[in-house]
Amino acid sequence: MANLKEIRNRITSVSSTMQITSAMKMVSAAKLKKAQDAITAIRPYSDKLTELLQSLSASLDADSGSKFSDSREVKKVLIVSITSNRGLCGAFNTNIIKQSALLAKETYAGKQVEFMAIGKKANDILSKRFKVVSNHSKVYEDLTFDNVAIIAEDLMELFVKGSYDKIDIVYNKFKNAATQIVMTEQFLPIVPVEGQAPNTADYVFEPSKLEIIEELIPKSLKTQLYKGIRDSFASEHGARMTAMHKATDNATEMRDQLKLTYNKARQAAITNEILEIVGGAEALNN
């Protein structure tokens, strides 16, 4: 059994760790509220914009498609992996890295796959095994639509120039503080709308439907990427809050066990001292 000094040192160390994890939990909880409000606000707009775009594009002829819907033979793929800049958030980053690697090795096996990292963790880990063409971890320093739009414009330009035949984004979708869903979405080319075209005979479009779509598609793609990063940002704080809550509980349990061990060791030491004193007194009497 460890001596009393070692146990006291461990109790002090665990107590300090518990204070740190508890503080990190409260910080993440405060940041989560703001991030959750942001993603809740952007989702209806993003969904409605996508619905409007699909409604218009479904009524167009097949020959009038956009340059962003140009489907060609997939030879070169870009995967946009969205992670966080910091760790201590459970399996949040690990799940994205695993899914990204799975896409590269299995889904796109035999094709040239490159990565764009949004988040320091994606860049640090993926760059050891794959080619990471760019890293946009600084976007979290000022997470606004305009800053994300710059990244989306770069992606659109790469696709139109033919640098990549397909672009996917991988991110954590925020469900609640304890649950994040790993999502893989096709960013480009735009997925064709299936089903019958809606009845738009009663509407007069000014300018033409094609011009409206050409205007909506870039905005829709920017919003899609912004929503993905916002989802990931909210998921990060939810995952960190949950991880730090569990860490605090584990530290509390460990501290209680150490205190119990310390008390037992102290009681045993006191009992041994009493026995030695009694034994010495009896030896003197005899």
Side-chain angles (χ1 to χ4, degrees), residues 47-114:
D47 294 341
K48 195 64 179 178
L49 184 61
T50 302
E51 179 186 341
L52 177 60
L53 182 64
Q54 291 178 343
S55 177
L56 290 174
S57 61
S59 63
L60 291 176
D61 297 332
D63 297 334
S64 58
S66 167
K67 57 186 177 181
F68 299 115
S69 58
D70 181 20
S71 295
R72 46 188 182 253
E73 183 183 355
V74 179
K75 296 180 180 179
K76 195 170 182 180
V77 181
L78 179 67
I79 299 175
V80 182
S81 297
I82 304 175
T83 62
S84 66
N85 286 340
R86 299 183 296 130
L88 297 177
C89 46
F92 172 82
N93 292 314
T94 304
N95 291 337
I96 297 298
I97 301 301
K98 285 182 178 180
Q99 179 64 18
S100 299
L102 187 66
L103 287 173
K105 291 184 176 181
E106 296 186 8
T107 305
Y108 299 121
K111 307 182 188 303
Q112 185 176 349
V113 180
E114 295 178 352

Side-chain angles (χ1 to χ4, degrees), residues 31 33 36 75 115 118 128 136 142 145 171 183 190 211 226 237 242 245 254 260 265 274:
K31 291 183 177 180
K33 181 62 170 64
Q36 186 175 351
K75 296 180 180 179
F115 288 86
I118 298 179
K128 297 177 182 179
H136 298 277
D142 186 16
F145 180 83
Y171 67 97
M183 301 291 293
I190 296 175
E211 290 179 276
Y226 181 63
H237 291 302
T242 302
H245 176 73
M254 183 179 293
L260 181 62
I274 293 174

Side-chain angles (χ1 to χ4, degrees), residues 52-261:
L52 177 60
L53 182 64
Q54 291 178 343
S55 177
L56 290 174
S57 61
S59 63
L60 291 176
D61 297 332
D63 297 334
S64 58
S66 167
K67 57 186 177 181
F68 299 115
S69 58
D70 181 20
S71 295
R72 46 188 182 253
E73 183 183 355
V74 179
K75 296 180 180 179
K76 195 170 182 180
V77 181
L78 179 67
I79 299 175
V80 182
S81 297
I82 304 175
T83 62
S84 66
N85 286 340
R86 299 183 296 130
L88 297 177
C89 46
F92 172 82
N93 292 314
T94 304
N95 291 337
I96 297 298
I97 301 301
K98 285 182 178 180
Q99 179 64 18
S100 299
L102 187 66
L103 287 173
K105 291 184 176 181
E106 296 186 8
T107 305
Y108 299 121
K111 307 182 188 303
Q112 185 176 349
V113 180
E114 295 178 352
F115 288 86
M116 173 185 286
I118 298 179
K120 188 174 182 295
K121 291 299 180 180
N123 181 66
D124 291 347
I125 300 175
L126 290 173
S127 59
K128 297 177 182 179
R129 302 165 56 189
F130 305 99
K131 182 179 180 181
V132 178
V133 295
S134 60
N135 175 27
H136 298 277
S137 59
K138 291 185 178 180
V139 72
Y140 290 114
E141 296 175 4
D142 186 16
L143 186 52
T144 63
F145 180 83
D146 291 338
N147 289 335
V148 174
I150 296 173
I151 303 174
E153 288 170 357
D154 291 341
L155 291 173
M156 287 185 275
E157 183 180 355
L158 289 171
F159 178 78
V160 172
K161 286 168 53 179
S163 300
Y164 300 100
D165 303 310
K166 189 177 181 183
I167 299 177
D168 287 346
I169 58 176
V170 182
Y171 67 97
N172 279 299
K173 181 179 180 180
F174 179 80
K175 184 176 181 181
N176 54 52
T179 307
Q180 300 83 38
I181 305 171
V182 178
M183 301 291 293
T184 302
E185 292 182 358
Q186 182 171 317
F187 188 72
L188 286 168
I190 296 175
V191 180
V193 179
E194 299 179 356
Q196 297 180 350
N199 181 15
T200 59
D202 296 334
Y203 298 93
V204 176
F205 295 95
E206 180 65 34
S208 66
K209 285 186 287 186
L210 181 58
E211 290 179 276
I212 294 175
I213 287 177
E214 289 294 338
E215 179 71 22
L216 282 178
I217 285 178
K219 182 175 290 187
S220 177
L221 291 171
K222 293 173 185 178
T223 304
Q224 180 184 356
L225 183 61
Y226 181 63
K227 181 175 70 72
I229 296 177
R230 271 292 176 189
D231 254 318
S232 180
F233 190 63
S235 297
E236 174 194 349
H237 291 302
R240 183 171 290 111
M241 186 184 75
T242 302
M244 291 302 99
H245 176 73
K246 292 180 179 178
T248 302
D249 289 346
N250 291 337
T252 301
E253 182 179 351
M254 183 179 293
R255 183 195 61 181
D256 293 342
Q257 289 291 335
L258 287 171
K259 284 184 176 180
L260 181 62
T261 302

